[in-house]
Structures are given as structure tokens and as C-alpha cells.
Amino acid sequence: MRKESAGKLFKDVVRDKWLYIMLLPGVLYFLIFKYVPMYGLVMAFQDFRPGLGFTNSPWVGLKHFERLFGEPQFWRLFRNTLLLAIYNLVFFFPAPILLALMLNEVRREKFKRFVQTLVYIPHFVSWVVVVGICYILFTTENGVVNELLYRLTGEKIPFLLSPEWFRTVIVSQQIWKEVGWGTIIFLAALTGVDMQLYEAARIDGASRLRQIWHVTLPAIRSTIVILLILRLGNFLDTGFEQIFLMLTATNREVGEVFDTFVYTKGLTQGQYSYSAAVGMFKSVVALALVLGANWTAKKFGQEGVY
Amino acid sequence: MRDRTPGGRLFDAVNYAILSAVACVCILPFIYVLAVSFTSPEEVARGGLILFPREWSLAAYEYIFSTGTLTNSLLITVYVTVVGTLINLIFTTTMAYPLSRTRLRGRQGVLLGVLITMLFSGGMIPTYFVVSGLGLTNTLWSLMIPSAISAFNLIVLKNFFQQIPSEVEDSAKIDGCNDVEVFFRIALPLSGPAIATFALFYSVDHWNTFFNAVLYLNDSSKWTIQVYLREIVILAQSNIGDSSRLEEMNIQPLTIRMAVVVFATLPIMLVYPFLQKHFVKGVMLGSVKG
């Protein structure tokens, strides 16, 4: 019995030899660039030296993690990352839903398509362009926004330099760049809504807002839940490029997050093992978050992602 | 269908007004940057909001091309975009096709391995040492090889290949094609639109690549356009040249910054009309659960 299935396996593999050969480069890619780095996380438990590699560096156990949790700087990072993530969830996450609902109410196809064409554009430019344009517009030295503000109120606001504005500016940039793009998936979900439901709601005397509340929103509820779960998986990813670009000497106190810290400590100051430990801490928390969110969603009778 | 009640009309008016405002906010910054980059220094010095230059000038563009740094980083970025996208497409399609054949032994295991990488990763530091251990740092390969496959695109493409009816494959097999020939003669040609979408997504990523260049390239002669842009606009480094020369040529540093922004954005804006037809479909493809 066993011998027979082994023989069949061998025959199948020989039959599909070309498919396996085609598969090989991709599998190698994932092994080398995704799985070797995962194995490389052992460096968080070592005093890693580049010359010795992941296998020969001396082991130090939990030293770097102990240092991590003992440092006041860690809690500052934790707080900054968490606050940005919460801001993101509260202000950025609902924005595309709101915009999609508004677009869905437009009956003139041409106007709808025109607005869609324009709001998708920012998604395609890089963070450097977004931050660059933001610098040009909002700087206190001849930035057009501050010039207009000055003419109206006689005051200028240091949007880019003051720590109080940092989170607002980050979240606003994010909304500006991605709000339009985010609507696509909700608009797709909305194309399936049965028109008769609106008809029925109207006969019952529902206003436009009530129709949105009772017909449109329930129709996209499962999409919202799935995206929320996925969002939680990236909860601690605070937009590394963006924050890296926005960090200045004056806002580091509120702006430094896990990702930027890993870069600065690890690659510019050479504390490899310590920063790998910080990165690992972040990855593990993120994994726990997405599994937890998925489990909770299933618990409440929603379809999960996995 | 149209809502004629007073409440409905008010709703429509407010809705149209807000949507118009959102659309303006999305596009005005680009128009402003483009306009200022073409405006004469005198008009820029007077300040204010310029949405259409009254006095035109090409001085900023003449200047940045006279330095050669921009031309160099543009060429490098074009190279990385073209070659990088080709690598992406070769790696992604050849891996997606075998994974789409449900009879393949071990397919589930490989798929699981790919899914895991979407949930958990080694992070920046170990990845950096793998890339440098392979001797890729400070070469343009470091911008192309470590990002050869996006797991998400791979799975979407696998689902797409899976929709091709197996009868088509069988009849090609009867005509004597092996799997590689079936892939090239049947699967690829039937997937033109999907592959075009991924080509566009991948090439936008390459054009916009910034952090990998900062991470892996030390040599400033290999800077991509985005790194150059950051130096000039955000760090306000004076790679733009010495200020005396700028004064002599009567150019505002501001217009030069704007001109560089235009170059970092231009190709995207040029392909955007073609892009738009495809990407909505691409996202929809992605939203179909595998």
C-alpha cells in the first residue's frame, strides 16, 4: 500500500518535472530573501558580528530583550508607535468608507468618474514626492499655505517643525495619499447591492441618510471587517518611509517609532543585534494582533481572512 | 430614480460640493508645483498662489539639466524600472503558473510557505545582512533582486491562471506540448491584461523606490531620482549647486525644487491614463479571495 503511493508520487513528480523546474526560481527567492532573514532573527539572541554570520556569532540569550524592556527609550517608542497607529485607525481607516459612500450617491456617471480619476492620483506618487510637496507648501519660509495664513490671520504655523503638529500632519498626508485608492474595494462591494432594497426603503419613507445607514452600510459590512483585520495585521507599521522622511531633530521626541529606531540604531550606529531584537518584538506583536483579530471576527460570526 | 424631495436636493448639493472639494485638494498641489516650476523668478519672488504662470520661464529646467546629476539619476531610475519590472514578471509568472496546477504535488505546502511570509518577516536588519552577504549592496541589483516577487501579486496571478480551463491545457498536451510550452503558448497569451496590470504596478513601485536605495546604495552616483529628490527638497542640500551661480543665473531655488518634483512624478502622470483602465480591474482581481 505504502510502496504503491510512493511509486505514484514518484511518477507524478516525473510527469510534472517541467512545472517543478519552473517553480524552482520562485521557491529559491522565498527561501533566500524571506526565510533566511527569518532564521537570521537568531541574531537577536547573539552578539552578532557581520564577519562571523548568523551561525558563528556568540550566543547571549535574552540580553538584548532585557535591555529593551529596561530602557525608558523603549516605552517612548512604544507610545509613539501606538499613538500613531491609533490615530491611523480612528481617522484614516473610516475615510475611504465615507468617500465611497459619497461617491456611491452620485447619479451622474461622468462627474463620478471625474472625481474618481483625480482622487486616485496621489496613490501613485512616492512618499518622497508627497513629503516633498508638503514641505514646499507648508514651510514657514514662503510656503504658500503659510503665506495665505499670514495674510488672513497675521500668524504662521510651523506645521513641519513643531512636535504638536507631527501626528496631525502624518495622518493628513496618509489620508491625502490613500483615501481615493481605498474607495475602490468598497465601491466594488457596493456594485452588488440590490436596487430593490432602496426602492423598498424609499416607500417606507427613508431619507437618503437613512437609506445609507440601513441599506448601503450593511451591504459593505463584511468588506469593512476583512479590511479591519488586515489593517490590524499592519497596525504597528506606521508608514516607515513617510516617518523616516518627516523626522527632524525637533520632532524626534514624538516621531521616532520602532521602524525608524531599528534603522538608526542598527544600520547607522551598528548595534545590529539590539535593533534586530526591537524588530523581532514588533513582528511578533503584529502577528499576535492579526491572529487575534481574525479569531475575534470568527467568534462574532463574521467570515475571517484565514 | 432621481431624488426630487427638498431633503434629497440638499443632500445632493452638499455631496457634490464636498466631492468637488476633495477632488481639488487631490490635484491642486500637483498643478501648483508644475506651474511654479515654469514661472519666472520675478513672479515667484512676489509670492502668492500661482496656478498659471503669467511670465513663463524654462530656467529651472535648463539649470538642473546643466548639472548632470539629475540626468544621471533619471537614467539609473529608468534602467532599474525596466529591468526590475522584467525580473518581477519572469519570477512571478513562472512561479504562479505551476502553483495554479491543482494536480501538482506539494503545491499546498509551497502556498503555505508564501502565505507565512505575508504574516511574519525577519525584518530590516537580518534582511540587510542577507543582501550584503550575497554581495548585492552598492549594486543596482539590490533594488531589483530582493523585491523580485510580491507575495500578494503572486497569489492573485495564481488565481488568474487557475481560471484557465484545463481542457485548453489538455488539448495542447495532446498536440505534444510540454508544460513549459503550454505556459508560453497558452497561459501567458491568455493572461495579457492581468500581466499588463502587474507590469504597471511593479514599474510604479520601481520608479518610486526610495528606501531600498537609501539602505543598500552608498555611492551617490547610483542614486535614484527619489533619493535625489529627498536631498534637494527635504534636506534642502545644496547639490543644486552653489548659490552664487544660482544668483548669477537669476534662478529661485524654489523653482528648481519644483522642477525636480515634476521629474520624480512625470512618468507616473504620463502612464496614468493608460494605467487607470487597468488598475481598478487589478484591485478587483486582488479582492477575490483565493
Side-chain angles (χ1 to χ4, degrees):
Chain A
M1 184 72 200
R2 167 160 283 195
K3 203 166 185 193
E4 194 182 84
S5 71
K8 188 164 183 323
L9 174 68
F10 180 73
K11 250 171 73 182
D12 283 354
V13 171
V14 171
R15 179 195 62 198
D16 291 332
K17 56 183 179 303
W18 288 109
L19 292 180
Y20 287 107
I21 292 171
M22 283 171 78
L23 199 57
L24 197 64
V27 170
L28 282 178
Y29 166 78
F30 277 97
L31 286 179
I32 296 172
F33 291 103
K34 301 291 167 185
Y35 280 91
V36 176
M38 279 187 217
Y39 167 71
L41 277 175
V42 296
M43 70 193 281
F45 306 96
Q46 300 171 328
D47 270 333
F48 179 78
R49 273 178 242 139
L52 296 174
F54 300 140
T55 36
N56 296 324
S57 295
W59 291 88
V60 294
L62 293 173
K63 177 179 133 188
H64 298 295
F65 289 94
E66 277 160 18
R67 174 177 163 204
L68 177 67
F69 297 120
E71 254 184 314
Q73 204 176 16
F74 168 77
W75 297 105
R76 198 190 75 194
L77 284 178
F78 195 77
R79 186 172 154 266
N80 289 345
T81 311
L82 205 64
L83 274 176
L84 271 173
I86 291 171
Y87 262 58
N88 225 303
L89 206 60
V90 174
F91 296 103
F92 172 67
F93 185 76
I97 303 175
L98 211 61
L99 186 60
L101 290 177
M102 293 175 75
L103 280 167
N104 191 50
E105 291 299 317
V106 174
R107 291 284 161 262
R108 289 179 209 199
E109 270 306 311
K110 267 199 179 148
F111 179 77
K112 187 176 168 186
R113 226 172 307 144
F114 177 71
V115 173
Q116 282 177 288
T117 304
L118 295 187
V119 296
Y120 294 154
I121 290 179
H123 170 77
F124 289 98
V125 301
S126 66
W127 272 114
V128 194
V129 168
V130 175
V131 175
I133 291 180
C134 183
Y135 263 69
I136 289 172
L137 294 179
F138 287 89
T139 163
T140 40
E141 300 159 39
N142 301 324
V144 66
V145 173
N146 262 318
E147 286 298 315
L148 295 178
L149 210 59
Y150 186 73
R151 280 181 210 175
L152 290 173
T153 66
E155 269 176 71
K156 292 185 174 186
I157 300 176
F159 295 103
L160 303 167
L161 295 174
S162 81
E164 301 91 77
W165 280 93
F166 185 77
R167 293 189 185 104
T168 313
V169 171
I170 293 285
V171 175
S172 312
Q173 282 175 348
Q174 237 149 27
I175 294 178
W176 183 77
K177 189 172 189 290
E178 303 296 347
V179 69
W181 188 249
T183 61
I184 292 183
I185 198 154
F186 295 110
L187 287 171
L190 283 172
T191 52
V193 184
D194 188 354
M195 279 302 166
Q196 286 179 344
L197 290 175
Y198 290 105
E199 203 78 39
R202 220 169 12 246
I203 289 165
D204 289 345
S207 68
R208 291 281 282 281
L209 285 172
R210 288 198 80 90
Q211 288 174 33
I212 293 177
W213 185 254
H214 291 294
V215 181
T216 320
L217 263 180
I220 54 174
R221 191 174 54 200
S222 63
T223 311
I224 295 177
V225 172
I226 286 181
L227 288 183
L228 196 59
I229 297 172
L230 291 175
R231 181 70 222 128
L232 285 175
N234 303 327
F235 188 62
L236 298 181
D237 288 336
T238 31
F240 177 45
E241 283 198 6
Q242 179 195 11
I243 294 192
F244 177 76
L245 289 162
M246 288 297 295
L247 272 186
T248 59
T250 47
N251 61 25
R252 205 161 271 277
E253 195 58 35
V254 295
E256 184 105 83
V257 293
F258 285 125
D259 290 327
T260 53
F261 182 79
V262 170
Y263 174 76
T264 328
K265 267 281 175 308
L267 292 170
T268 59
Q269 295 175 16
Q271 300 187 29
Y272 306 122
S273 285
Y274 179 54
S275 47
V278 179
M280 186 170 172
F281 170 77
K282 202 201 104 171
S283 291
V284 170
V285 173
L287 184 68
L289 274 172
V290 74
L291 295 179
N294 201 47
W295 183 80
T296 316
K298 280 187 175 158
K299 204 88 192 149
F300 282 94
Q302 284 281 348
E303 206 181 342
V305 181
Y306 306 107
Chain B
M1 196 59 235
R2 200 154 283 168
D3 188 358
R4 295 263 181 230
T5 61
R9 285 188 185 194
L10 178 68
F11 180 93
D12 276 331
V14 173
N15 194 26
Y16 278 66
I18 296 179
L19 285 176
S20 308
V22 171
C24 285
V25 169
C26 284
I27 196 68
L28 276 181
F30 293 111
I31 297 178
Y32 174 74
V33 165
L34 189 67
V36 173
S37 74
F38 280 111
T39 304
S40 74
E42 292 79 17
E43 200 178 335
V44 174
R46 279 199 297 273
L49 186 62
I50 301 168
L51 286 178
F52 192 81
R54 270 162 294 182
E55 300 158 31
W56 287 74
S57 159
L58 288 173
Y61 290 94
E62 279 167 23
Y63 180 79
I64 54 176
F65 275 110
S66 74
T67 62
T69 338
L70 177 88
T71 333
N72 186 43
S73 62
L74 271 178
L75 285 176
I76 285 176
T77 316
V78 169
Y79 173 81
V80 169
T81 303
V82 173
V83 180
T85 306
L86 274 176
I87 292 176
N88 288 140
L89 290 180
I90 294 169
F91 273 71
T92 312
T93 53
T94 54
M95 189 177 184
Y97 181 70
L99 289 179
S100 74
R101 305 294 90 190
T102 39
R103 63 160 197 273
L104 193 76
R105 300 274 194 150
R107 161 180 175 274
Q108 295 293 348
V110 178
L111 278 173
L112 183 68
V114 171
L115 281 176
I116 288 172
T117 67
M118 294 173 85
L119 285 177
F120 190 77
S121 76
M124 184 194 303
I125 307 287
T127 309
Y128 177 86
F129 283 108
V130 169
V131 173
S132 78
L134 292 168
L136 296 176
T137 34
N138 237 349
T139 70
L140 293 180
W141 295 116
S142 66
L143 304 185
M144 302 186 269
I145 305 283
S147 54
I149 302 180
S150 129
F152 181 79
N153 290 356
L154 176 76
I155 286 174
V156 176
L157 196 63
K158 179 222 100 189
N159 289 341
F160 191 88
F161 282 142
Q162 221 157 314
Q163 290 167 0
I164 298 174
S166 63
E167 286 80 10
V168 185
E169 188 195 341
D170 292 340
S171 67
K173 283 270 180 66
I174 291 167
D175 290 343
C177 286
N178 64 28
D179 285 308
V180 178
E181 285 165 328
V182 174
F183 169 68
F184 278 110
R185 296 210 192 145
I186 294 176
L188 277 188
L190 283 177
S191 324
I195 291 172
T197 311
F198 291 116
L200 289 167
F201 281 145
Y202 275 131
S203 50
V204 168
D205 282 349
H206 280 297
W207 186 269
N208 287 341
T209 192
F210 163 72
F211 192 71
N212 281 347
V214 171
L215 203 56
Y216 298 129
L217 304 175
N218 302 315
D219 180 357
S220 69
S221 72
K222 293 198 179 94
W223 274 355
T224 60
I225 180 79
Q226 307 293 342
V227 182
Y228 179 66
L229 177 67
R230 175 195 180 221
E231 287 293 304
I232 285 193
V233 177
I234 298 168
L235 302 181
Q237 298 290 337
S238 48
N239 300 35
I240 347 176
D242 46 307
S243 49
S244 63
R245 192 164 156 231
L246 286 178
E247 247 166 62
E248 192 185 301
M249 288 176 70
N250 185 23
I251 304 172
Q252 294 276 333
L254 183 66
T255 58
I256 293 178
R257 294 196 178 126
M258 304 259 188
V260 180
V261 175
V262 170
F263 273 106
T265 319
L266 192 68
I268 309 268
M269 294 299 166
L270 290 181
V271 297
Y272 185 72
F274 306 101
L275 203 72
Q276 210 205 344
K277 258 195 291 178
H278 291 291
F279 65 59
V280 176
K281 244 183 274 158
V283 175
M284 306 281 195
L285 273 174
S287 64
V288 180
K289 276 180 47 180

